[in-house]
Amino acid sequence: MALPERDVLLCRDCCCGTTKKHPEADHRAQRDEIEGLDDPAGRRGPRVRVRVVDCLDECDRSNVVLVRDFTWFPGGRRPKDTWLGGVLSPTSTGAVVDWVRDGGPVPAALQRHVFRGKRG
């Protein structure tokens, strides 16, 4: 199987994805929509692997999504990481899904969510 072109890491468990911290957000719907991108074989577009992780250690910016784009660095070199925080609404979740599926630079709709992660 070919390596994915993009990895999407969806932070969950610690505070991202909890109704305690963000009771207004539909965390299950967000997870379902992002997990719908998972297509490592590339049948519907770019090869995307979605992983739900316990904590990305950016709790003050929850909900956090990390997009790792390997198309920028072919040949197994370090990917281009884009950290997104405050992804709580259906609109911002949809913008993440559309961008990951379509590729290209971070769209204007997500610019306010971009931050430099501790690990990047």
Side-chain angles (χ1 to χ4, degrees):
M1 180 189 301
L3 293 173
E5 294 172 40
R6 296 182 188 101
D7 266 344
V8 179
L9 284 73
L10 177 62
C11 191
R12 285 295 187 263
D13 193 40
C14 181
C15 61
C16 291
T18 65
T19 55
K20 184 176 181 179
K21 188 167 185 179
H22 301 291
E24 72 288 353
D26 187 342
H27 302 286
R28 183 74 237 171
Q30 180 186 56
R31 181 175 175 163
D32 290 346
E33 187 169 358
I34 290 174
E35 284 183 323
L37 282 166
D38 197 285
D39 186 15
R43 293 178 300 268
R44 298 181 308 265
R47 293 182 307 273
V48 178
R49 176 176 55 185
V50 176
R51 295 185 286 162
V52 177
V53 298
D54 287 343
C55 186
L56 290 170
D57 196 28
E58 292 288 353
C59 299
D60 57 328
R61 298 182 184 268
S62 66
N63 285 343
V64 175
V65 179
L66 171 58
V67 178
R68 307 191 90 197
D69 190 343
F70 294 93
T71 61
W72 288 75
F73 296 95
R77 289 178 278 185
R78 191 175 191 287
K80 179 183 187 322
D81 290 348
T82 303
W83 291 81
L84 303 165
V87 181
L88 293 163
S89 71
T91 302
S92 59
T93 300
V96 170
V97 168
D98 290 345
W99 171 55
V100 169
R101 190 176 295 126
D102 297 343
V106 178
L110 290 175
Q111 286 296 326
R112 70 181 186 91
H113 295 280
V114 175
F115 69 97
R116 183 174 172 89
K118 295 174 189 168
R119 298 180 190 184

